[in-house]
């Protein structure tokens, strides 16, 4: 068994226990991510400076943007978790029938971080994944050695690895965590409605199916 399959299996077992579905769990994970950014801002800025030669404002933004995304998610989370009323055919409506969509998490979710957004394009989609009640595997970019090293050290200090963990890979084609999506059988890449923005979907769908989170989907 490869190391990525073991990580996936542990997170899936954790998800299947329903531990990740509560409002309290989601808020706790979001707070942990917020604290990681706030409490390690200087270390993260120094790491990004090593990987990039860019304006200091850019590095500040990379840290503050995820913090803002967390604040927004925490503010609206209860509303996101509420069932949504949907229209039913007239005959059913007149006979007293109603229908609701229950937003359910899908399961273990992979976030692939690109090199050109060290924190924003990694943590912003992760916020949505966590807010929806999913365990999360963060695939760090091999093009950011200093930032990746810091994150590999920090993430286990703030998160239970069954909830959120980070992996890296090799630059060689077909090697390392860059192929984790294939090894973990992350089959579904559909982008539709609430499940794309928040990592959750209709209760009638396969709520246990893994999903791949593409960082670009956080910008619309």
């Amino acid at each position: 068994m490869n190391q990525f399959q073991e990580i996936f299996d542990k997170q899936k077992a954790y998800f299947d226990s329903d531990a990740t579905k509560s409002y309290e769990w989601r808020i706790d994970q979001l707070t942990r991510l917020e604290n990681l950014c706030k409490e390690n801002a200087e270390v993260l800025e120094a790491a990004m400076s090593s990987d990039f030669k860019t304006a200091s404002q850019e590095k500040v933004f990379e840290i503050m943007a995820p913090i803002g995304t967390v604040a927004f998610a925490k503010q609206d989370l209860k509303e996101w978790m509420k069932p949504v009323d949907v229209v039913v055919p007239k005959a059913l409506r007149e006979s007293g029938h109603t229908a609701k969509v229950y937003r359910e998490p899908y399961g273990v979710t992979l976030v692939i971080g690109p090199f050109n957004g060290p924190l924003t394009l990694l943590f912003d989609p992760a916020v949505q994944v966590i807010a929806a009640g999913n365990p999360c595997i963060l695939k760090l970019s091999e093009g950011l050695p200093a930032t990746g090293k810091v994150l590999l050290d920090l993430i286990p200090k703030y998160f239970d690895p069954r909830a959120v963990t980070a992996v890296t890979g090799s630059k060689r084609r077909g090697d390392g965590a860059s192929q984790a999506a294939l090894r973990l059988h992350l089959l579904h890449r559909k982008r539709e409605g609430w499940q794309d923005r928040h990592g959750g979907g209709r209760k009638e769908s396969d709520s246990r199916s893994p999903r791949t989170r593409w960082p670009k989907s956080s910008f619309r």
Side-chain angles (χ1 to χ4, degrees):
M1 180 185 297
N2 64 68
Q3 60 174 312
F4 307 115
Q5 187 66 53
E6 183 177 356
I7 292 169
F8 172 79
D9 290 342
K10 288 181 178 179
Q11 287 202 349
K12 185 175 185 302
Y14 187 54
F15 175 77
D16 287 344
S17 73
D18 288 340
T20 70
K21 292 187 176 182
S22 71
Y23 172 81
E24 291 75 18
W25 182 90
R26 303 180 198 202
I27 289 293
D28 180 51
Q29 305 311 307
L30 292 171
T31 300
R32 290 171 184 271
L33 182 56
E34 180 181 32
N35 291 340
L36 185 155
C37 292
K38 287 182 176 179
E39 295 171 3
N40 301 281
E42 292 185 6
V43 175
L44 290 167
E45 284 188 29
M48 287 186 285
S49 295
S50 178
D51 291 327
F52 284 104
K53 303 303 178 185
T54 186
S56 60
Q57 295 93 327
E58 291 290 334
K59 289 169 281 189
V60 172
F61 174 79
E62 285 291 324
I63 294 170
M64 296 306 298
I67 292 174
T69 303
V70 168
F72 174 76
K74 291 169 75 172
Q75 173 183 299
D76 286 359
L77 184 57
K78 283 187 177 179
E79 191 67 27
W80 291 346
M81 294 178 68
K82 291 179 180 179
V84 178
D85 292 323
V86 294
V87 177
V88 297
K90 182 179 179 181
L92 292 176
R93 188 167 62 251
E94 290 178 346
S95 61
H97 290 81
T98 60
K100 293 180 182 292
V101 171
Y102 289 85
R103 293 164 169 172
E104 290 287 318
Y106 280 128
V108 180
T109 308
L110 177 69
V111 176
I112 302 176
F115 78 94
N116 60 337
L119 300 183
T120 56
L121 296 183
L122 180 73
F123 286 159
D124 279 13
V127 167
Q128 298 174 31
V129 168
I130 293 168
N134 299 292
C136 186
I137 298 174
L138 302 174
K139 193 280 175 182
L140 309 180
S141 172
E142 60 272 11
L144 301 168
T147 306
K149 183 178 179 181
V150 170
L151 292 175
L152 283 175
D153 177 62
L154 291 177
I155 288 172
K157 294 179 180 178
Y158 284 83
F159 294 98
D160 182 332
R162 298 175 301 170
V164 179
T165 194
V167 297
T168 59
S170 167
K171 291 184 179 181
R172 290 178 296 172
R173 182 180 177 89
D175 187 30
S178 58
Q179 299 301 310
L182 296 178
R183 293 175 178 174
L184 300 179
H185 311 294
L186 299 176
L187 304 176
H188 303 281
R189 299 179 184 180
K190 290 184 68 177
R191 300 181 61 195
E192 57 182 59
W194 198 84
Q195 67 229 43
D196 180 55
R197 293 180 61 85
H198 307 291
R202 294 174 180 248
K203 188 175 181 64
E204 294 82 5
S205 65
D206 181 8
S207 62
R208 305 298 180 177
S209 298
R211 290 293 191 270
T212 300
R213 286 288 306 174
W214 301 107
K216 68 178 182 180
S217 69
S218 62
F219 295 92
R220 291 193 168 191

